[in-house]
Amino acid sequence: MTVRKMQIVSALAGPSLLLPDLVADALTANARIKFALSWLQTVERYAIDANRVSFANLMPEQTLVGLEADPLFTAPIAVTRAPGGIHFANAGTIINRLLQDLMSMRVAIEAGAEVGIITPVESARLRTREEDIVRGVRLEDDILPSGLVSALSRIAEPEHDTLHSLVMDMHKVLNVIGVALAEEDVAGAHVSRLSGLDKERVAAFMRGLNRTAPLKFRHLGLGTSATRDQSRLIIQNDIGATDVHVLIVYVEGLRLSITYSDIHHQRLEFFQRRLQRFSWSVSGRRSGEITQNISYLATGVFEAPNAVALDAALEHLGASVTFLIDWNKARKSLRRLVPKIAAVSILDWAADHELGHCAYLEIGGDTFLGDLLEIASKATGGFYTSLQNALGEEGAVDFLHQVLRIASEELRAGRHPLAIRDLLRAELLSRVASVADRILEAVADHAALTLDLGNLVRSALLEAGPVGSAVAKRANAWEALADHQVRRIRGLSCISNELAWQIIASGADDAADEFEEIVFRLQFLPIDIPVDIRDALVRLAEYSVATTTAYIRLLCTLTNVRRGTSFPDTRQFLHTFDQLRSHEHLTDAAEREVLLRLMKVNVDAKTLYIVTAIVDSLEEAADALLHAGRLVSDHALGEWFAT
């Protein structure tokens, strides 16, 4: 646990919960101090005779204390003599690091004094010694004063304290504190000073945590410790590597309280959604000691009706913690594939189903899926710039659900990430192949709505009665549904080899618009128009509706061909297109018949205008469907010849 995170936890929960971590960190700091002194002594010898000194000899000790990759402790490029000492890069930084480690040891000792394991007098004596030693350590311009390292490293004399002696004494006190803690393990949690009931509560939390912890895979985090602080049980989980990301759980009687800090407000909201039975309060915090940026502090409280409900809440809380690890990283990755709201909903879905998102990151996240889209483009001849481009927004979200599910289940089962990628490649290819079928279904649904509108026109003319506003409203509603299908088709057909369907849908929608407009005009058609005019209008409407029916048959024939009919059977498709063309020609003839009859009778200007407008629209509807049919035929023939 970092110093900054310790400050946060100490501020939220007090020193008792931190003490085991403080002691562990202090013992590690003790080892680092000893190595730093050895390394500085080697530098002093190197300044005297570089040929007889090798920093490689320090590598085993350096590795043991975890500093093998620390650039501060690589062999210095140049060590030069300077007035009063030797100069080398980062000399001051190394000394400051050493003094910080000394402070870590002292902080653990003071925490031990606060909980009564050692006396405050003993703690204060060690602090005074530390302050005296630190006061005598001064470096300027990375010049290490002559004799400083020797002075720090020697054994103390009766009237002259040294760093080495102080560290040894502190180490002894830390060992005393470690023995007094009498730490034990409860289902993986490091606990101290707990009663039997406390351990039951911790076990409930760990049941949930241990159930979902495997879902983090190689990601860091989830170390748990617990202790009792007077009347409260305190459970702390080290969620991840971020200093400000801290969770403290308090149990007092049947009251379960949470203090949670985070720099990501969206992740905080996700966590709150996971714990909807809690009442929450959230505030923004800015603290120079904790972080230079704003962080959010949330407090949640759940009043359990009984111990069973309390344990259930603790278990659910423990299970939810896992999903906080790398949540924001996963959100950003998904955001590159789908809109913001959809990305968050996917993470909610994955948590609800206890699948998590870490497996998705393990197999490569959005980078892998980008590579997958390139493979799909080559395999299908399309050009997919995004998942939404290939599958539509709804299809992309559904596919990502399956990505997270397959990745999580297969990775937990021990399958290699490369094998999982093969599964997902097959899944995407099958979905991309099905897009064409979904487009064709949407086009057929649109054609069916167009036919409904045409039949509404034909029925109104046959009944020869007044067309009321209710019929016009029905036509308007159906036309709106047809527009929705057009938008759906456009969304699905945003790939290069399916773009033709956007033009087809727009053309066919002109027919739906014409039929809806005719219903509106029929409200103003006089009931007493000449019978032969009305009969001619009915025949024109029937031919227009027949053209619509032929267009639907063309789409159905195309569907059958796409599902595997052999190439010779495409002649049925071409025959159906010929029928469509014939019906449109009959519509042209019927249009002329109406106009001829209209010219032989005397009608007022209003009737002439309405009848002429209806005739034009019926003929335009048939023309639009013939044009759409031609585009369907051209597109289909292009696909077949391409294969």
Side-chain angles (χ1 to χ4, degrees):
M1 184 180 292
T2 65
V3 173
R4 293 171 64 202
K5 180 166 278 191
M6 287 178 180
Q7 292 172 345
I8 297 170
V9 176
S10 180
L12 298 179
S16 58
L17 181 61
L18 278 173
L19 193 51
D21 283 334
L22 289 173
V23 170
D25 289 348
L27 293 174
T28 303
N30 169 68
R32 287 197 298 264
I33 291 171
K34 293 177 180 177
F35 169 74
L37 290 173
S38 298
W39 191 88
L40 289 170
Q41 288 172 337
T42 303
V43 173
E44 284 188 329
R45 293 197 301 273
Y46 184 88
I48 297 172
D49 189 351
N51 294 325
R52 299 182 62 181
V53 175
S54 173
F55 285 88
N57 295 332
L58 293 174
M59 185 53 66
E61 183 181 356
Q62 187 172 352
T63 301
L64 187 64
V65 299
L67 296 175
E68 68 275 14
D70 193 327
L72 283 179
F73 294 101
T74 57
I77 297 175
V79 179
T80 58
R81 292 191 176 277
I86 57 175
H87 175 274
F88 60 94
N90 296 317
T93 303
I94 291 172
I95 291 295
N96 287 336
R97 176 87 66 83
L98 185 153
L99 297 179
Q100 287 174 1
D101 282 334
L102 183 65
M103 181 183 69
S104 295
M105 297 182 71
R106 185 252 303 163
V107 167
I109 291 169
E110 290 179 341
E114 285 190 55
V115 298
I117 296 177
I118 63 171
T119 65
V121 173
E122 186 174 11
S123 172
R125 185 183 301 118
L126 291 171
R127 184 184 185 113
T128 300
R129 291 175 61 189
E130 177 198 5
E131 291 172 348
D132 290 339
I133 290 171
V134 170
R135 197 177 299 116
V137 179
R138 290 287 183 273
L139 267 72
E140 293 182 4
D141 300 324
D142 282 339
I143 296 175
L144 185 67
S146 300
L148 176 62
V149 178
S150 298
L152 294 175
S153 304
R154 70 168 61 102
I155 301 296
E157 297 174 0
E159 296 182 2
H160 183 73
D161 201 6
T162 67
L163 174 69
H164 181 268
S165 293
L166 174 61
V167 170
M168 290 181 62
D169 291 343
M170 284 183 166
H171 193 181
K172 293 176 184 177
V173 175
L174 288 170
N175 287 336
V176 172
I177 295 173
V179 172
L181 286 176
E183 190 174 20
E184 59 182 303
D185 184 284
V186 175
H190 299 289
V191 305
S192 59
R193 296 179 296 172
L194 298 189
S195 67
L197 287 176
D198 289 339
K199 293 176 184 178
E200 291 181 14
R201 302 289 89 82
V202 173
F205 178 85
M206 294 303 295
R207 273 197 304 274
L209 184 67
N210 291 334
R211 188 174 73 243
T212 60
L215 296 173
K216 73 183 180 71
F217 299 100
R218 294 183 302 170
H219 293 73
L220 301 175
L222 299 187
T224 304
S225 58
T227 191
R228 171 157 284 279
D229 181 16
Q230 298 180 359
S231 63
R232 299 185 303 177
L233 164 66
I234 307 177
I235 304 171
Q236 185 254 328
N237 186 272
D238 189 12
I239 302 168
T242 304
D243 292 321
V244 184
H245 203 196
V246 174
L247 173 69
I248 310 290
V249 181
Y250 304 93
V251 181
E252 188 168 8
L254 293 177
R255 170 177 285 190
L256 173 58
S257 305
I258 299 171
T259 300
Y260 174 74
S261 65
D262 203 334
I263 60 173
H264 299 297
H265 192 263
Q266 288 176 305
R267 182 167 57 186
L268 168 58
E269 291 176 338
F270 163 80
F271 192 48
Q272 289 176 296
R273 287 194 299 275
R274 300 292 305 153
L275 304 171
Q276 294 187 12
R277 299 180 68 184
F278 286 70
S279 58
W280 292 93
S281 61
V282 181
S283 61
R285 297 181 60 186
R286 188 180 298 274
S287 171
E289 295 182 355
I290 295 177
T291 178
Q292 295 179 350
N293 301 316
I294 191 168
S295 62
Y296 299 95
L297 179 66
T299 302
V301 179
F302 170 63
E303 299 285 355
N306 50 53
V308 174
L310 176 62
D311 284 349
L314 280 164
E315 182 174 346
H316 180 67
L317 171 61
S320 299
V321 172
T322 299
F323 306 123
L324 296 171
I325 294 177
D326 275 346
W327 184 92
N328 203 54
K329 182 178 180 180
R331 181 188 67 83
K332 290 180 178 178
S333 176
L334 291 168
R335 175 64 187 86
R336 300 183 188 105
L337 302 169
V338 291
K340 293 179 181 179
I341 296 176
V344 172
S345 73
I346 290 169
L347 293 173
D348 285 345
W349 177 89
D352 290 341
H353 291 79
E354 292 199 350
L355 297 168
H357 50 266
C358 289
Y360 160 77
L361 296 174
E362 285 283 325
I363 64 169
D366 63 285
T367 301
F368 159 66
L369 292 179
D371 295 339
L372 209 58
L373 283 171
E374 289 187 16
I375 294 172
S377 296
K378 294 177 182 178
T380 62
F383 179 65
Y384 308 119
T385 58
S386 68
L387 271 182
Q388 294 182 83
N389 176 245
L391 303 174
E393 183 177 334
E394 292 181 5
V397 170
D398 184 67
F399 174 68
L400 288 171
H401 283 168
Q402 296 310 307
V403 169
L404 268 66
R405 180 187 64 78
I406 291 171
S408 181
E409 292 176 354
E410 297 298 327
L411 206 57
R412 286 194 68 182
R415 185 167 295 215
H416 195 278
L418 291 178
I420 298 172
R421 292 174 183 177
D422 289 340
L423 287 174
L424 293 174
R425 181 171 65 248
E427 178 74 16
L428 179 60
L429 288 173
S430 68
R431 286 171 179 261
V432 169
S434 71
V435 167
D437 291 335
R438 284 188 283 145
I439 292 172
L440 197 51
E441 289 174 3
V443 172
D445 289 342
H446 178 273
L449 287 165
T450 304
L451 180 61
D452 288 339
L453 286 164
N455 282 324
L456 195 61
V457 171
R458 187 173 64 89
S459 297
L461 287 169
L462 281 170
E463 291 173 3
V467 175
S469 60
V471 177
K473 288 180 180 178
R474 190 190 316 163
N476 184 263
W478 289 352
E479 194 271 336
L481 291 174
D483 285 343
H484 173 73
Q485 291 299 331
V486 172
R487 289 193 296 271
R488 181 184 171 205
I489 293 163
R490 287 173 179 163
L492 288 170
S493 59
C494 291
I495 53 179
S496 59
N497 60 331
E498 300 292 353
L499 283 174
W501 289 108
Q502 295 188 21
I503 304 172
I504 293 168
S506 295
D509 195 51
D510 289 341
D513 292 341
E514 294 291 351
F515 283 136
E516 190 272 334
E517 186 66 25
I518 293 169
V519 175
F520 173 76
R521 289 169 178 163
L522 283 173
Q523 297 178 93
F524 311 106
L525 182 68
I527 299 175
D528 58 349
I529 64 170
V531 175
D532 58 341
I533 299 296
R534 183 177 290 276
D535 290 343
L537 282 173
V538 170
R539 279 192 295 274
L540 175 57
E542 287 175 342
Y543 286 135
S544 189
V545 168
T547 304
T548 310
T549 304
Y551 174 69
I552 292 176
R553 288 189 185 131
L554 184 74
L555 296 174
C556 293
T557 306
L558 177 59
T559 301
N560 293 333
V561 171
R562 276 192 164 184
R563 288 175 179 171
T565 305
S566 61
F567 185 79
D569 289 332
T570 59
R571 283 177 291 184
Q572 178 61 40
F573 173 82
L574 298 175
H575 174 67
T576 305
F577 177 69
D578 286 339
Q579 290 180 324
L580 170 61
R581 184 162 45 197
S582 297
H583 285 300
E584 194 277 334
H585 291 336
L586 290 172
T587 303
D588 289 342
E591 176 200 16
R592 296 187 185 98
E593 180 187 355
V594 176
L595 293 176
L596 285 172
R597 294 193 178 192
L598 189 60
M599 294 299 104
K600 294 178 181 179
V601 297
N602 292 322
V603 293
D604 57 36
K606 182 179 79 170
T607 302
L608 179 63
Y609 170 78
I610 294 297
V611 172
T612 303
I614 291 172
V615 169
D616 288 344
S617 290
L618 286 169
E619 197 276 334
E620 289 290 340
D623 280 351
L625 292 169
L626 176 60
H627 178 64
R630 283 199 182 99
L631 293 173
V632 170
S633 178
D634 291 345
H635 182 56
L637 289 172
E639 283 188 336
W640 297 331
F641 284 121
T643 57

